[in-house]
Amino acid sequence: MDIFILLLTIAGATALFLYGMKLMSESLQKILGERIRLILTSMTSNKFKGVMTGLFITALIQSSSATTVMVVSFVNAGILRLFEAVSIIMGANIGTTFTAWLIAFFGFKIEFSLYTLPLIGLSIPFLFSNRRKVKNWGEMLLGFSLLFIALSFLKAYLPGAGESLVGNFVLRLTGIGYFSYLLFLLLGTVITMLIRSSNAILALTLVLVFNGWIGFEHAAAMVLGENIGTTIAAITAARVANLTAKRAAMAHLFFNLFGVIWVILVFPFFLKGVAMLYMSMGGGDPFGNKESVPIALALFHTLFNVINALLLSGFSGSIARFVTRRVTPGPNYDNEFRLTHIKIGLLSTPDASLYQAKRETVLFAERVRKMFLNVERAFSESNEKEFQKLIEKIHDDEEFANRLEKEIAKYLTSVGEGRLSENSSRRMRSLFKMIDDIESIADSCVNIANAIQRKRNAKINFPDSINYNVQLIFNMVRAALDMMVTMLTHNEELPLSMAQETEREINNYRDILKSEHLNNLEKGLYKYDAGIIYNDIISQCERIGDFAINVDEAQNNLY
């Protein structure tokens, strides 16, 4: 029964630590917002900058898992290239060691738990603020405080190694020589994979050392295991992502595995080097003084990741090529329905998730524009076999568009279930409007294709003047769709007034053609059945122009 209560106590304190870390990390990401994405996408022009970017972002948001998941999602979105992602992941591994220093210094070097309740009291006015940014700062302070409250619980309630059956069992495991290092490495890997937080396991490792359960060398072995276990976050995120994102996650695993392998081969010598360095800095011997272990372990964690990054930083291109050869597409890869950007799932902040949805919406718009090009080709195609292929392709694209709209809408709904700022709410409404209008363009393309099919089945031939009119309005619609895609892709590339002018030209030309159409029917220039088809094509073209300007206006309201 005592063991059961002990395990529940450890589980509860660890859960509190995890919640505090999650609260602090997510609030920091909300505070930084769009700046995280801008840093990730603008500071990766070379390997050194990539490493520094990963280090900087991870130190800021206090979560290497969040950084690597974002990196995988941006690779998935085509924003980052694979070799850039490898450099950032290297930096993220170094950046996560900042948390180790934070825990070691505030949790063990000084008694920071004495200040946690005043800090929580300070956070309360922030938490009840009506301003979202102020509330985020309050959550950050609360999360930071909970970390050290949880740590103090672990230190207080975990008994000494000789005071419990579990402690005695762990002590026996430490006495089986070199094999014990491998055993604790495996233990660190498995627990981190289960809990999904290397920081929480690091805190627990430090408490085990503090209470005499394990020594410096076995704590270091657990830290190595945590480095492998933490890769599970990126691998899980990439499981439903595209091929390149899977390769980025595999690169993360390869990088950490390589580091663990070379360190474990020279493990006793590496540890002695760390101990000598720490003692030369004025610290105690971590092998004989447990009070010295927390800082020495943070130093070990940092040196391991820095040296590993230095060893592999010159080989990021080679690592990218290696994982490209190892992770290959499946046999049905080209025929699968896949979301390109948002399939990876929600990111930790609404801004990042909405950015993914926007990228998916851009591809949606590009696909619908290509759909209209096929409609144009179908109108002038004389070969029956090629014509039927085009009609079938247009109908397949329309089904794809329906499904795509539903998936993006489902994703946006999930984003909306979180707490959104006023700006994020406005952006989400604009994206809902965009995908609705883009899908309506696909519907109109199918309607035009059906009209062309009826024309062909009825063996109706338009006079040259009518064919010319149809081609001219097609050109206008194509220009409107080109402008829509350009505005979506390059946010401020074109002014909205240009799109509005194109839409007015389509409306004016539609009015002219409708007026001419009535006169042509009176003159008997073509039969009434042909006139209906002609009128349907013109009307649907004008509707596409309306939907396109709606998308442009929604894009204009997005920022």
Side-chain angles (χ1 to χ4, degrees), residues 152-170:
S152 66
F153 284 157
L154 283 170
K155 288 161 61 178
Y157 291 105
L158 194 72
E163 299 174 16
S164 68
L165 291 174
V166 178
N168 287 324
F169 176 71
V170 172

Side-chain angles (χ1 to χ4, degrees), residues 15-285:
L16 185 63
F17 185 95
L18 282 170
Y19 178 70
M21 181 59 71
K22 180 176 183 291
L23 196 62
M24 184 176 73
S25 177
E26 290 186 357
S27 60
L28 284 168
Q29 290 175 66
K30 289 171 187 174
I31 290 166
L32 293 169
E34 189 75 2
R35 279 167 288 187
I36 297 176
R37 182 185 65 80
L38 293 175
I39 293 170
L40 275 174
T41 55
S42 63
M43 290 178 61
T44 55
S45 56
N46 60 50
K47 296 170 187 175
F48 176 75
K49 284 186 177 179
V51 172
M52 294 306 296
T53 299
L55 190 160
F56 181 63
I57 291 292
T58 306
L60 278 179
I61 65 177
Q62 287 297 293
S63 174
S64 61
S65 295
T67 302
T68 51
V69 168
M70 272 191 280
V71 167
V72 167
S73 71
F74 289 154
V75 171
N76 190 54
I79 302 168
L80 292 173
R81 289 169 291 181
L82 184 57
F83 79 90
E84 293 173 335
V86 172
S87 299
I88 295 172
I89 288 168
M90 290 178 183
N93 276 19
I94 301 172
T96 196
T97 64
F98 182 80
T99 309
W101 287 99
L102 196 71
I103 296 170
F105 188 76
F106 287 107
F108 294 89
K109 193 72 174 176
I110 63 173
E111 198 60 39
F112 190 76
S113 58
L114 298 175
Y115 306 100
T116 52
L117 288 178
L119 203 57
I120 290 174
L122 182 64
S123 70
I124 295 300
F126 292 85
L127 290 171
F128 287 95
S129 172
N130 292 325
R131 295 178 59 190
R132 191 58 52 84
K133 288 183 179 179
V134 175
K135 189 173 288 187
N136 289 336
W137 280 106
E139 289 180 350
M140 190 275 290
L141 289 173
L142 179 61
F144 184 75
S145 303
L146 291 178
L147 289 181
F148 297 101
I149 289 176
L151 203 56
S152 66
F153 284 157
L154 283 170
K155 288 161 61 178
Y157 291 105
L158 194 72
E163 299 174 16
S164 68
L165 291 174
V166 178
N168 287 324
F169 176 71
V170 172
L171 274 176
R172 283 198 294 272
L173 291 179
T174 63
I176 52 178
Y178 198 86
F179 183 72
S180 66
Y181 301 152
L182 300 177
L183 191 62
F184 277 88
L185 187 153
L186 180 63
L187 185 65
T189 301
V190 172
I191 298 176
T192 306
M193 288 173 64
L194 292 173
I195 296 183
R196 305 289 180 89
S197 173
S198 59
N199 291 328
I201 305 307
L202 177 64
L204 185 58
T205 302
L206 288 170
V207 172
L208 290 174
V209 174
F210 183 81
N211 286 41
W213 288 49
I214 58 177
F216 174 53
E217 61 272 36
H218 298 98
M222 284 191 71
V223 168
L224 291 179
E226 290 154 17
N227 271 265
I228 299 173
T230 194
T231 61
I232 197 68
I235 291 172
T236 302
R239 192 169 53 194
V240 291
N242 68 16
L243 187 64
T244 310
K246 287 183 173 70
R247 288 167 176 165
M250 184 59 66
H252 186 206
L253 176 61
F254 172 83
F255 175 79
N256 285 18
L257 269 177
F258 176 84
V260 168
I261 289 169
W262 74 257
V263 168
I264 206 67
L265 290 174
V266 295
F267 197 54
F269 307 102
F270 193 85
L271 288 178
K272 286 178 183 177
V274 172
M276 289 174 62
L277 178 60
Y278 182 52
M279 287 188 289
S280 70
M281 296 163 57
D285 182 5

